[in-house]
Structures are given as structure tokens and as C-alpha cells.
């Protein structure tokens, strides 16, 4: 679909947009906060920007009590009662709870990213509503990336996430991708066109950043098998001269989370902080000199964007969307764990190189991810949906 850019003006009486962000209520209220995930942060940021431009915005989110609808920070939160479960096709009762909330929202456009896969788009088709599906992970368009069995992703087609993803791809009016890689694989594997829109981010002021001494090495993500947090624990043991900081909640796998937390207590130069409220996390990116990513695969990690916004270079084991780390010289793509160890060792010793990567990262974010520029691509897209 071609996106036609429109005049930049404030929108009164614009279309109502509804986002599907399971953790939004917990993130915004810090109530029962168990995890902070990139797709939900992305949608909250987008929702707030649209709110400021005069859009009527709703968010479907899980909660355990309180009124069915709450207005928080100018956003209408419509609650799906019951504990947050797997973000894909599940129990019949869960589906009907979601459908009731969809009807209550009564939006013109529903935005799906990484949650409730395969549930909302069929109902929207019946109701004559429009659906935008935003691809959250590379594995959703390239199943060959799943090389071993992990809790979050299954190689079998007979899996709720795979089925839900297929349903949303087939039934959505527009699909948004984060990279040319996703765009190409989506067309090759599903014969579907898409629109590439980079993740928008509110760029912080360009203040001088003072990095912590000794060096702070940061890891941010869910404690999930696909993220391989155990590798970060091993890095901390290998580099006692640096401080390591680990941030993340559990991803419906309490046993795995507890095991990582327990091992971390045995490492003297590692601080395991668990889940940190989103409005408090910036200072950790400010303090950090290097962000480490150990995931098997991702889409476009939100932590990358936050790191570059605060002059923090990235060393990534596997994730390197559209080869941006080397293309813009904003980080290092190690490819193997042995090489990652070497790369970290070199970067710890080379302050000049860290500062060079950090400066490039900040420039990249300002040029490519500024929400003040990207929001108009979304608005143009809404207009084309009619």
C-alpha cells in the first residue's frame, strides 16, 4: 500500500484508534507490574502522540479489578478482566472477554502488535472495522529462525501464536513492518505487501551524558528463553572489572525467571533489578556505557532505540535489523557468543571507540526514529484506510 503524506495539522474529530497492549494498565499505573515489553511501550508512546494531535485513543489492556473503563493520562483504557495470559488464540472465555472489549471500544481502526494474535481481526472483519497489524518479531515472518524448541516460539505450525499470526496477516487491512528484511520475508512467505515504518520514539534533550565509573554494562529484556539472559550472567563472571546491570520481568515463565535471579545473586559485580517502571528506566541507559543483546532473534528491539537516544552503543549477538549496526556504525554484530566476548573485551578497553559509536547512535535516532517526524506516516496511513 502506498502511503500519501498529508499536511501537518492538528486533528479534531479524527478517527478513533484502539491499541491492543496487554500490559498498558500495569505500565501506566505501576499496579501489579510484572513485565515491561517493547510492543506495549511502542503502543503507549504512539497513543500519547496521537492523543496530543486530537485523536480519540483507546487501549485494550488486561487488569484484575476496578471499573471497566478508566481514563489515565488522557487515554481511555478498556480493561479485559482476568490475568494476562498468552498473547494469542486461547480459551473461549478469553476470546469473548476480548471481543466484548473490542465492541465497547467501538473504534474505527484497531492496531495489533505482538498481542492477542488471531482474536481481534476476525471480529473486526465482521463489524466492518479496519485492522492494522504491526509485525513484532522476525520469527513471525521467518519461521526458519526458530532453530530449537523454546517456550515462546514453537517450530510446529499447530501452535496458537503461529495460527494467530497467520490469521492476522490474512485478515488485516494493512501490515506494518520494522525492516526491509521483514518486508521481503512477508511477501515471500505470505504473498502480502506491507508498509515499512520505523519505531517512533520521543527524542530526549541533547544534554551531556555522564557515564558511570567503573563501566556499566546493561541488559534489558524479558526473562524469556528467546532472550538468553543466562549468557549475560556468564559475561559478568568473565569481566569482573566492570559492573553489570540486568533489568527485566518474567514472561509467563516464573520458574525460569526465578532461576536467573537466583544465579545472579552469586555474581558480585552484577545487579539484578528485575522489572523497572518505564518512567524510571532512562537513568540506567544514561549510566550505561554498553548495551548487550543476547536474543536468538528479535524484531527491532526497543532497548536499542533507548540506548542510542542516551549515547549508549550496542553489542548484539544475533539481532541486527537491516544490518544497521555496521551500516550506521552504531554498534557491533557479533554473530557468535565467542566473538561477543571478544567484542565486549575490546570495547571495554577502548573509550574513544565507545564514544564514537555512541555519538553515531544518537545521530541515527534523531534522523530515523524521531516521533515528531514518524507520526505523520501513521496519520497518512489512517487517512488511506478511509
Amino acid at each position: 500500500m502506498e502511503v500519501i503524506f498529508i499536511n501537518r495539522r492538528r486533528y479534531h474529530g479524527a478517527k478513533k484508534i484502539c491499541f491492543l497492549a496487554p500490559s498498558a494498565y500495569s505500565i501506566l499505573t505501576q499496579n501489579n507490574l510484572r513485565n515491561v515489553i517493547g510492543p506495549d511501550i511502542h503502543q503507549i508512546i504512539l497513543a500519547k502522540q496521537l492523543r496530543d494531535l486530537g485523536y480519540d485513543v483507546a487501549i485494550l489492556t488486561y487488569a484484575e479489578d476496578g471499573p471497566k473503563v478508566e481514563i489515565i493520562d488522557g487515554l481511555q483504557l478498556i480493561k479485559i478482566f482476568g490475568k494476562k495470559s498468552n498473547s494469542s488464540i486461547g480459551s473461549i472465555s478469553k476470546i469473548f472477554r476480548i471481543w466484548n472489549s473490542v465492541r465497547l471500544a467501538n473504534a474505527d481502526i484497531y492496531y495489533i502488535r505482538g498481542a492477542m494474535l488471531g482474536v481481534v481481526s476476525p471480529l473486526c472483519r465482521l463489524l466492518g472495522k479496519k485492522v492494522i497489524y504491526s509485525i513484532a518479531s522476525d520469527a513471525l515472518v521467518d519461521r526458519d529462525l526458530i532453530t530449537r524448541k523454546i517456550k515462546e516460539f514453537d517450530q510446529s505450525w499447530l501452535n496458537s501464536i503461529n495460527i494467530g499470526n497467520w490469521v492476522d496477516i490474512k485478515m488485516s487491512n494493512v501490515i506494518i513492518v520494522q525492516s526491509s528484511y521483514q518486508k521481503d520475508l512477508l511477501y515471500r512467505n505470505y504473498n502480502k505487501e506491507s508498509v515499512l515504518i520505523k519505531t517512533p520514539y520521543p527524542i530526549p534533550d541533547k544534554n551531556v551524558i555522564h557515564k558511570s565509573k567503573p563501566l556499566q554494562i546493561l541488559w534489558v529484556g524479558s526473562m524469556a528463553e528467546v532472550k538468553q539472559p543466562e549468557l549475560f550472567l556468564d559475561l559478568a563472571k568473565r569481566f569482573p572489572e566492570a559492573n553489570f546491570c540486568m533489568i527485566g520481568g518474567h514472561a509467563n515463565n516464573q520458574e525460569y525467571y526465578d532461576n536467573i535471579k537466583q544465579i545472579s545473586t552469586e555474581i558480585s559485580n552484577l545487579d539484578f533489578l528485575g522489572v523497572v517502571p518505564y518512567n524510571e528506566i532512562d537513568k540506567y541507559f544514561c549510566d550505561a556505557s554498553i548495551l548487550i543483546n543476547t536474543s536468538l532473534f528479535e524484531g527491532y528491539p526497543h532497548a536499542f532505540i533507548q540506548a542510542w537516544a542516551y549515547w549508549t552503543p550496542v553489542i548484539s549477538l544475533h539481532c541486527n535489523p537491516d544490518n544497521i549496526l555496521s551500516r550506521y556504525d552504531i554498534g557491533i554484530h557479533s554473530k557468535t557468543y565467542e566473538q561477543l566476548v571478544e567484542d565486549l573485551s575490546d570495547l571495554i578497553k577502548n573509550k574513544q571507540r565507545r564514544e564514537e559509536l555512541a555519538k553515531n547512535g544518537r545521530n541515527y535516532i534523531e534522523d530515523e526514529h524521531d516521533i515528531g517526524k514518524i507520526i505523520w506516516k501513521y496519520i497518512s496511513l489512517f487517512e488511506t484506510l478511509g
Side-chain angles (χ1 to χ4, degrees), residues 341-369:
V341 172
E342 254 186 72
D343 292 334
L344 179 56
S345 177
D346 292 342
L347 205 55
I348 285 175
K349 298 170 186 173
N350 193 336
K351 180 181 179 182
Q352 182 178 344
R353 181 61 176 148
R354 291 197 308 271
E355 292 178 345
E356 182 181 347
L357 291 170
K359 181 181 178 181
N360 293 343
R362 173 66 191 211
N363 291 337
Y364 169 76
I365 284 297
E366 291 178 4
D367 292 341
E368 301 291 334
H369 290 272

PDB file of all heavy atoms in Angstrom, residues 341-369:
ATOM      1  N   VAL A 341      32.146 -12.131  23.306  1.00  0.00           N
ATOM      2  CA  VAL A 341      33.072 -11.981  24.432  1.00  0.00           C
ATOM      3  C   VAL A 341      34.266 -11.137  24.005  1.00  0.00           C
ATOM      4  O   VAL A 341      34.701 -10.226  24.739  1.00  0.00           O
ATOM      5  CB  VAL A 341      33.524 -13.357  24.951  1.00  0.00           C
ATOM      6  CG1 VAL A 341      34.628 -13.198  25.999  1.00  0.00           C
ATOM      7  CG2 VAL A 341      32.350 -14.138  25.530  1.00  0.00           C
ATOM      8  N   GLU A 342      34.807 -11.414  22.829  1.00  0.00           N
ATOM      9  CA  GLU A 342      35.936 -10.642  22.308  1.00  0.00           C
ATOM     10  C   GLU A 342      35.563  -9.185  22.071  1.00  0.00           C
ATOM     11  O   GLU A 342      36.306  -8.256  22.415  1.00  0.00           O
ATOM     12  CB  GLU A 342      36.420 -11.265  20.991  1.00  0.00           C
ATOM     13  CG  GLU A 342      37.715 -12.027  21.113  1.00  0.00           C
ATOM     14  CD  GLU A 342      38.226 -12.492  19.761  1.00  0.00           C
ATOM     15  OE1 GLU A 342      38.706 -11.652  18.961  1.00  0.00           O
ATOM     16  OE2 GLU A 342      38.127 -13.703  19.511  1.00  0.00           O
ATOM     17  N   ASP A 343      34.389  -8.992  21.463  1.00  0.00           N
ATOM     18  CA  ASP A 343      33.944  -7.630  21.149  1.00  0.00           C
ATOM     19  C   ASP A 343      33.742  -6.807  22.419  1.00  0.00           C
ATOM     20  O   ASP A 343      34.101  -5.627  22.461  1.00  0.00           O
ATOM     21  CB  ASP A 343      32.639  -7.668  20.351  1.00  0.00           C
ATOM     22  CG  ASP A 343      32.826  -8.255  18.958  1.00  0.00           C
ATOM     23  OD1 ASP A 343      33.950  -8.177  18.428  1.00  0.00           O
ATOM     24  OD2 ASP A 343      31.842  -8.787  18.405  1.00  0.00           O
ATOM     25  N   LEU A 344      33.181  -7.424  23.431  1.00  0.00           N
ATOM     26  CA  LEU A 344      32.980  -6.709  24.692  1.00  0.00           C
ATOM     27  C   LEU A 344      34.320  -6.362  25.332  1.00  0.00           C
ATOM     28  O   LEU A 344      34.512  -5.251  25.839  1.00  0.00           O
ATOM     29  CB  LEU A 344      32.129  -7.550  25.646  1.00  0.00           C
ATOM     30  CG  LEU A 344      31.849  -6.930  27.021  1.00  0.00           C
ATOM     31  CD1 LEU A 344      31.188  -5.561  26.887  1.00  0.00           C
ATOM     32  CD2 LEU A 344      30.986  -7.860  27.874  1.00  0.00           C
ATOM     33  N   SER A 345      35.246  -7.281  25.294  1.00  0.00           N
ATOM     34  CA  SER A 345      36.569  -7.033  25.851  1.00  0.00           C
ATOM     35  C   SER A 345      37.229  -5.837  25.167  1.00  0.00           C
ATOM     36  O   SER A 345      37.787  -4.943  25.827  1.00  0.00           O
ATOM     37  CB  SER A 345      37.442  -8.276  25.690  1.00  0.00           C
ATOM     38  OG  SER A 345      38.755  -8.032  26.166  1.00  0.00           O
ATOM     39  N   ASP A 346      37.151  -5.814  23.840  1.00  0.00           N
ATOM     40  CA  ASP A 346      37.765  -4.713  23.085  1.00  0.00           C
ATOM     41  C   ASP A 346      37.098  -3.381  23.397  1.00  0.00           C
ATOM     42  O   ASP A 346      37.775  -2.353  23.555  1.00  0.00           O
ATOM     43  CB  ASP A 346      37.670  -4.992  21.584  1.00  0.00           C
ATOM     44  CG  ASP A 346      38.534  -6.156  21.141  1.00  0.00           C
ATOM     45  OD1 ASP A 346      39.456  -6.528  21.892  1.00  0.00           O
ATOM     46  OD2 ASP A 346      38.278  -6.706  20.046  1.00  0.00           O
ATOM     47  N   LEU A 347      35.768  -3.372  23.481  1.00  0.00           N
ATOM     48  CA  LEU A 347      35.056  -2.117  23.672  1.00  0.00           C
ATOM     49  C   LEU A 347      35.220  -1.585  25.102  1.00  0.00           C
ATOM     50  O   LEU A 347      35.246  -0.370  25.311  1.00  0.00           O
ATOM     51  CB  LEU A 347      33.566  -2.300  23.340  1.00  0.00           C
ATOM     52  CG  LEU A 347      32.804  -1.041  22.903  1.00  0.00           C
ATOM     53  CD1 LEU A 347      33.488  -0.375  21.710  1.00  0.00           C
ATOM     54  CD2 LEU A 347      31.360  -1.371  22.559  1.00  0.00           C
ATOM     55  N   ILE A 348      35.339  -2.473  26.057  1.00  0.00           N
ATOM     56  CA  ILE A 348      35.607  -2.045  27.439  1.00  0.00           C
ATOM     57  C   ILE A 348      36.926  -1.275  27.517  1.00  0.00           C
ATOM     58  O   ILE A 348      37.046  -0.264  28.215  1.00  0.00           O
ATOM     59  CB  ILE A 348      35.628  -3.258  28.387  1.00  0.00           C
ATOM     60  CG1 ILE A 348      34.204  -3.756  28.641  1.00  0.00           C
ATOM     61  CG2 ILE A 348      36.310  -2.915  29.707  1.00  0.00           C
ATOM     62  CD1 ILE A 348      34.132  -5.027  29.470  1.00  0.00           C
ATOM     63  N   LYS A 349      37.911  -1.721  26.752  1.00  0.00           N
ATOM     64  CA  LYS A 349      39.243  -1.115  26.794  1.00  0.00           C
ATOM     65  C   LYS A 349      39.352   0.165  25.969  1.00  0.00           C
ATOM     66  O   LYS A 349      40.289   0.950  26.169  1.00  0.00           O
ATOM     67  CB  LYS A 349      40.277  -2.115  26.277  1.00  0.00           C
ATOM     68  CG  LYS A 349      40.383  -3.382  27.097  1.00  0.00           C
ATOM     69  CD  LYS A 349      41.244  -4.416  26.376  1.00  0.00           C
ATOM     70  CE  LYS A 349      41.255  -5.756  27.092  1.00  0.00           C
ATOM     71  NZ  LYS A 349      41.965  -6.801  26.308  1.00  0.00           N
ATOM     72  N   ASN A 350      38.413   0.388  25.041  1.00  0.00           N
ATOM     73  CA  ASN A 350      38.570   1.460  24.063  1.00  0.00           C
ATOM     74  C   ASN A 350      37.501   2.542  24.260  1.00  0.00           C
ATOM     75  O   ASN A 350      36.433   2.504  23.647  1.00  0.00           O
ATOM     76  CB  ASN A 350      38.492   0.875  22.648  1.00  0.00           C
ATOM     77  CG  ASN A 350      38.965   1.863  21.597  1.00  0.00           C
ATOM     78  OD1 ASN A 350      38.939   3.073  21.797  1.00  0.00           O
ATOM     79  ND2 ASN A 350      39.389   1.326  20.455  1.00  0.00           N
ATOM     80  N   LYS A 351      37.795   3.514  25.103  1.00  0.00           N
ATOM     81  CA  LYS A 351      36.838   4.584  25.396  1.00  0.00           C
ATOM     82  C   LYS A 351      36.530   5.416  24.156  1.00  0.00           C
ATOM     83  O   LYS A 351      35.371   5.807  23.921  1.00  0.00           O
ATOM     84  CB  LYS A 351      37.387   5.481  26.508  1.00  0.00           C
ATOM     85  CG  LYS A 351      36.456   6.620  26.867  1.00  0.00           C
ATOM     86  CD  LYS A 351      37.052   7.510  27.955  1.00  0.00           C
ATOM     87  CE  LYS A 351      36.108   8.671  28.271  1.00  0.00           C
ATOM     88  NZ  LYS A 351      36.692   9.584  29.294  1.00  0.00           N
ATOM     89  N   GLN A 352      37.537   5.696  23.356  1.00  0.00           N
ATOM     90  CA  GLN A 352      37.336   6.518  22.160  1.00  0.00           C
ATOM     91  C   GLN A 352      36.348   5.857  21.204  1.00  0.00           C
ATOM     92  O   GLN A 352      35.475   6.528  20.645  1.00  0.00           O
ATOM     93  CB  GLN A 352      38.672   6.753  21.453  1.00  0.00           C
ATOM     94  CG  GLN A 352      38.544   7.642  20.220  1.00  0.00           C
ATOM     95  CD  GLN A 352      39.893   7.915  19.561  1.00  0.00           C
ATOM     96  OE1 GLN A 352      40.935   7.693  20.169  1.00  0.00           O
ATOM     97  NE2 GLN A 352      39.865   8.404  18.337  1.00  0.00           N
ATOM     98  N   ARG A 353      36.485   4.540  21.051  1.00  0.00           N
ATOM     99  CA  ARG A 353      35.577   3.822  20.158  1.00  0.00           C
ATOM    100  C   ARG A 353      34.152   3.817  20.717  1.00  0.00           C
ATOM    101  O   ARG A 353      33.186   3.962  19.967  1.00  0.00           O
ATOM    102  CB  ARG A 353      36.073   2.381  19.960  1.00  0.00           C
ATOM    103  CG  ARG A 353      35.208   1.534  19.027  1.00  0.00           C
ATOM    104  CD  ARG A 353      35.147   2.121  17.645  1.00  0.00           C
ATOM    105  NE  ARG A 353      34.390   1.262  16.730  1.00  0.00           N
ATOM    106  CZ  ARG A 353      33.678   1.728  15.718  1.00  0.00           C
ATOM    107  NH1 ARG A 353      33.619   3.035  15.486  1.00  0.00           N
ATOM    108  NH2 ARG A 353      33.029   0.902  14.927  1.00  0.00           N
ATOM    109  N   ARG A 354      34.014   3.669  22.034  1.00  0.00           N
ATOM    110  CA  ARG A 354      32.690   3.706  22.651  1.00  0.00           C
ATOM    111  C   ARG A 354      32.017   5.051  22.389  1.00  0.00           C
ATOM    112  O   ARG A 354      30.831   5.115  22.047  1.00  0.00           O
ATOM    113  CB  ARG A 354      32.785   3.472  24.164  1.00  0.00           C
ATOM    114  CG  ARG A 354      33.194   2.081  24.573  1.00  0.00           C
ATOM    115  CD  ARG A 354      32.857   1.807  26.033  1.00  0.00           C
ATOM    116  NE  ARG A 354      33.350   2.813  26.961  1.00  0.00           N
ATOM    117  CZ  ARG A 354      34.523   2.806  27.548  1.00  0.00           C
ATOM    118  NH1 ARG A 354      35.386   1.825  27.258  1.00  0.00           N
ATOM    119  NH2 ARG A 354      34.876   3.753  28.403  1.00  0.00           N
ATOM    120  N   GLU A 355      32.780   6.121  22.542  1.00  0.00           N
ATOM    121  CA  GLU A 355      32.210   7.452  22.361  1.00  0.00           C
ATOM    122  C   GLU A 355      31.846   7.712  20.903  1.00  0.00           C
ATOM    123  O   GLU A 355      30.849   8.381  20.611  1.00  0.00           O
ATOM    124  CB  GLU A 355      33.201   8.505  22.866  1.00  0.00           C
ATOM    125  CG  GLU A 355      33.373   8.464  24.377  1.00  0.00           C
ATOM    126  CD  GLU A 355      34.393   9.465  24.881  1.00  0.00           C
ATOM    127  OE1 GLU A 355      35.172   9.984  24.040  1.00  0.00           O
ATOM    128  OE2 GLU A 355      34.434   9.718  26.105  1.00  0.00           O
ATOM    129  N   GLU A 356      32.631   7.165  19.994  1.00  0.00           N
ATOM    130  CA  GLU A 356      32.344   7.315  18.568  1.00  0.00           C
ATOM    131  C   GLU A 356      31.035   6.603  18.209  1.00  0.00           C
ATOM    132  O   GLU A 356      30.166   7.162  17.527  1.00  0.00           O
ATOM    133  CB  GLU A 356      33.505   6.734  17.750  1.00  0.00           C
ATOM    134  CG  GLU A 356      33.335   6.867  16.241  1.00  0.00           C
ATOM    135  CD  GLU A 356      34.505   6.241  15.488  1.00  0.00           C
ATOM    136  OE1 GLU A 356      35.528   5.939  16.127  1.00  0.00           O
ATOM    137  OE2 GLU A 356      34.380   6.048  14.267  1.00  0.00           O
ATOM    138  N   LEU A 357      30.889   5.351  18.666  1.00  0.00           N
ATOM    139  CA  LEU A 357      29.660   4.594  18.421  1.00  0.00           C
ATOM    140  C   LEU A 357      28.464   5.291  19.062  1.00  0.00           C
ATOM    141  O   LEU A 357      27.368   5.330  18.486  1.00  0.00           O
ATOM    142  CB  LEU A 357      29.798   3.176  18.973  1.00  0.00           C
ATOM    143  CG  LEU A 357      30.774   2.240  18.255  1.00  0.00           C
ATOM    144  CD1 LEU A 357      30.969   0.961  19.074  1.00  0.00           C
ATOM    145  CD2 LEU A 357      30.253   1.894  16.858  1.00  0.00           C
ATOM    146  N   ALA A 358      28.671   5.825  20.268  1.00  0.00           N
ATOM    147  CA  ALA A 358      27.591   6.489  20.997  1.00  0.00           C
ATOM    148  C   ALA A 358      27.091   7.725  20.253  1.00  0.00           C
ATOM    149  O   ALA A 358      25.881   7.954  20.138  1.00  0.00           O
ATOM    150  CB  ALA A 358      28.062   6.861  22.392  1.00  0.00           C
ATOM    151  N   LYS A 359      28.015   8.521  19.756  1.00  0.00           N
ATOM    152  CA  LYS A 359      27.639   9.719  19.009  1.00  0.00           C
ATOM    153  C   LYS A 359      26.884   9.348  17.733  1.00  0.00           C
ATOM    154  O   LYS A 359      25.867   9.970  17.391  1.00  0.00           O
ATOM    155  CB  LYS A 359      28.888  10.528  18.662  1.00  0.00           C
ATOM    156  CG  LYS A 359      28.593  11.807  17.901  1.00  0.00           C
ATOM    157  CD  LYS A 359      29.873  12.560  17.563  1.00  0.00           C
ATOM    158  CE  LYS A 359      29.573  13.808  16.753  1.00  0.00           C
ATOM    159  NZ  LYS A 359      30.831  14.547  16.390  1.00  0.00           N
ATOM    160  N   ASN A 360      27.357   8.328  17.034  1.00  0.00           N
ATOM    161  CA  ASN A 360      26.681   7.882  15.812  1.00  0.00           C
ATOM    162  C   ASN A 360      25.270   7.383  16.119  1.00  0.00           C
ATOM    163  O   ASN A 360      24.328   7.622  15.349  1.00  0.00           O
ATOM    164  CB  ASN A 360      27.483   6.767  15.144  1.00  0.00           C
ATOM    165  CG  ASN A 360      28.812   7.242  14.600  1.00  0.00           C
ATOM    166  OD1 ASN A 360      29.041   8.431  14.431  1.00  0.00           O
ATOM    167  ND2 ASN A 360      29.719   6.310  14.322  1.00  0.00           N
ATOM    168  N   GLY A 361      25.132   6.681  17.253  1.00  0.00           N
ATOM    169  CA  GLY A 361      23.825   6.171  17.639  1.00  0.00           C
ATOM    170  C   GLY A 361      22.837   7.284  17.918  1.00  0.00           C
ATOM    171  O   GLY A 361      21.675   7.220  17.505  1.00  0.00           O
ATOM    172  N   ARG A 362      23.290   8.311  18.615  1.00  0.00           N
ATOM    173  CA  ARG A 362      22.409   9.445  18.897  1.00  0.00           C
ATOM    174  C   ARG A 362      21.991  10.143  17.609  1.00  0.00           C
ATOM    175  O   ARG A 362      20.813  10.498  17.422  1.00  0.00           O
ATOM    176  CB  ARG A 362      23.122  10.421  19.837  1.00  0.00           C
ATOM    177  CG  ARG A 362      22.372  11.721  20.071  1.00  0.00           C
ATOM    178  CD  ARG A 362      21.072  11.524  20.821  1.00  0.00           C
ATOM    179  NE  ARG A 362      20.267  12.749  20.782  1.00  0.00           N
ATOM    180  CZ  ARG A 362      19.432  13.130  21.727  1.00  0.00           C
ATOM    181  NH1 ARG A 362      19.248  12.385  22.791  1.00  0.00           N
ATOM    182  NH2 ARG A 362      18.748  14.248  21.606  1.00  0.00           N
ATOM    183  N   ASN A 363      22.910  10.334  16.687  1.00  0.00           N
ATOM    184  CA  ASN A 363      22.579  10.961  15.403  1.00  0.00           C
ATOM    185  C   ASN A 363      21.589  10.116  14.612  1.00  0.00           C
ATOM    186  O   ASN A 363      20.668  10.643  13.977  1.00  0.00           O
ATOM    187  CB  ASN A 363      23.850  11.188  14.581  1.00  0.00           C
ATOM    188  CG  ASN A 363      24.742  12.259  15.173  1.00  0.00           C
ATOM    189  OD1 ASN A 363      24.286  13.126  15.923  1.00  0.00           O
ATOM    190  ND2 ASN A 363      26.026  12.214  14.837  1.00  0.00           N
ATOM    191  N   TYR A 364      21.780   8.794  14.670  1.00  0.00           N
ATOM    192  CA  TYR A 364      20.886   7.881  13.949  1.00  0.00           C
ATOM    193  C   TYR A 364      19.465   7.996  14.476  1.00  0.00           C
ATOM    194  O   TYR A 364      18.495   8.059  13.702  1.00  0.00           O
ATOM    195  CB  TYR A 364      21.395   6.450  14.087  1.00  0.00           C
ATOM    196  CG  TYR A 364      20.415   5.405  13.607  1.00  0.00           C
ATOM    197  CD1 TYR A 364      20.218   5.179  12.249  1.00  0.00           C
ATOM    198  CD2 TYR A 364      19.661   4.662  14.517  1.00  0.00           C
ATOM    199  CE1 TYR A 364      19.305   4.232  11.800  1.00  0.00           C
ATOM    200  CE2 TYR A 364      18.756   3.710  14.081  1.00  0.00           C
ATOM    201  CZ  TYR A 364      18.576   3.506  12.729  1.00  0.00           C
ATOM    202  OH  TYR A 364      17.665   2.572  12.299  1.00  0.00           O
ATOM    203  N   ILE A 365      19.298   8.018  15.786  1.00  0.00           N
ATOM    204  CA  ILE A 365      17.968   8.111  16.385  1.00  0.00           C
ATOM    205  C   ILE A 365      17.281   9.414  15.984  1.00  0.00           C
ATOM    206  O   ILE A 365      16.089   9.434  15.646  1.00  0.00           O
ATOM    207  CB  ILE A 365      18.072   7.994  17.921  1.00  0.00           C
ATOM    208  CG1 ILE A 365      18.312   6.558  18.322  1.00  0.00           C
ATOM    209  CG2 ILE A 365      16.811   8.517  18.602  1.00  0.00           C
ATOM    210  CD1 ILE A 365      17.195   5.613  17.955  1.00  0.00           C
ATOM    211  N   GLU A 366      18.018  10.502  16.032  1.00  0.00           N
ATOM    212  CA  GLU A 366      17.433  11.793  15.663  1.00  0.00           C
ATOM    213  C   GLU A 366      16.975  11.800  14.208  1.00  0.00           C
ATOM    214  O   GLU A 366      15.936  12.376  13.880  1.00  0.00           O
ATOM    215  CB  GLU A 366      18.454  12.908  15.907  1.00  0.00           C
ATOM    216  CG  GLU A 366      18.751  13.149  17.379  1.00  0.00           C
ATOM    217  CD  GLU A 366      19.800  14.231  17.589  1.00  0.00           C
ATOM    218  OE1 GLU A 366      20.232  14.840  16.587  1.00  0.00           O
ATOM    219  OE2 GLU A 366      20.182  14.477  18.749  1.00  0.00           O
ATOM    220  N   ASP A 367      17.740  11.151  13.338  1.00  0.00           N
ATOM    221  CA  ASP A 367      17.419  11.148  11.912  1.00  0.00           C
ATOM    222  C   ASP A 367      16.313  10.159  11.546  1.00  0.00           C
ATOM    223  O   ASP A 367      15.490  10.439  10.666  1.00  0.00           O
ATOM    224  CB  ASP A 367      18.672  10.810  11.091  1.00  0.00           C
ATOM    225  CG  ASP A 367      19.731  11.895  11.148  1.00  0.00           C
ATOM    226  OD1 ASP A 367      19.380  13.041  11.502  1.00  0.00           O
ATOM    227  OD2 ASP A 367      20.905  11.595  10.861  1.00  0.00           O
ATOM    228  N   GLU A 368      16.286   8.996  12.216  1.00  0.00           N
ATOM    229  CA  GLU A 368      15.451   7.893  11.736  1.00  0.00           C
ATOM    230  C   GLU A 368      14.253   7.536  12.625  1.00  0.00           C
ATOM    231  O   GLU A 368      13.346   6.859  12.171  1.00  0.00           O
ATOM    232  CB  GLU A 368      16.329   6.633  11.580  1.00  0.00           C
ATOM    233  CG  GLU A 368      17.492   6.791  10.630  1.00  0.00           C
ATOM    234  CD  GLU A 368      17.069   6.915   9.185  1.00  0.00           C
ATOM    235  OE1 GLU A 368      15.971   6.408   8.843  1.00  0.00           O
ATOM    236  OE2 GLU A 368      17.820   7.518   8.392  1.00  0.00           O
ATOM    237  N   HIS A 369      14.248   7.957  13.893  1.00  0.00           N
ATOM    238  CA  HIS A 369      13.199   7.482  14.802  1.00  0.00           C
ATOM    239  C   HIS A 369      12.449   8.585  15.540  1.00  0.00           C
ATOM    240  O   HIS A 369      11.650   8.280  16.437  1.00  0.00           O
ATOM    241  CB  HIS A 369      13.803   6.504  15.821  1.00  0.00           C
ATOM    242  CG  HIS A 369      14.206   5.190  15.226  1.00  0.00           C
ATOM    243  ND1 HIS A 369      13.342   4.121  15.104  1.00  0.00           N
ATOM    244  CD2 HIS A 369      15.382   4.779  14.692  1.00  0.00           C
ATOM    245  CE1 HIS A 369      13.965   3.114  14.542  1.00  0.00           C
ATOM    246  NE2 HIS A 369      15.202   3.484  14.272  1.00  0.00           N
TER     247      HIS A 369
END
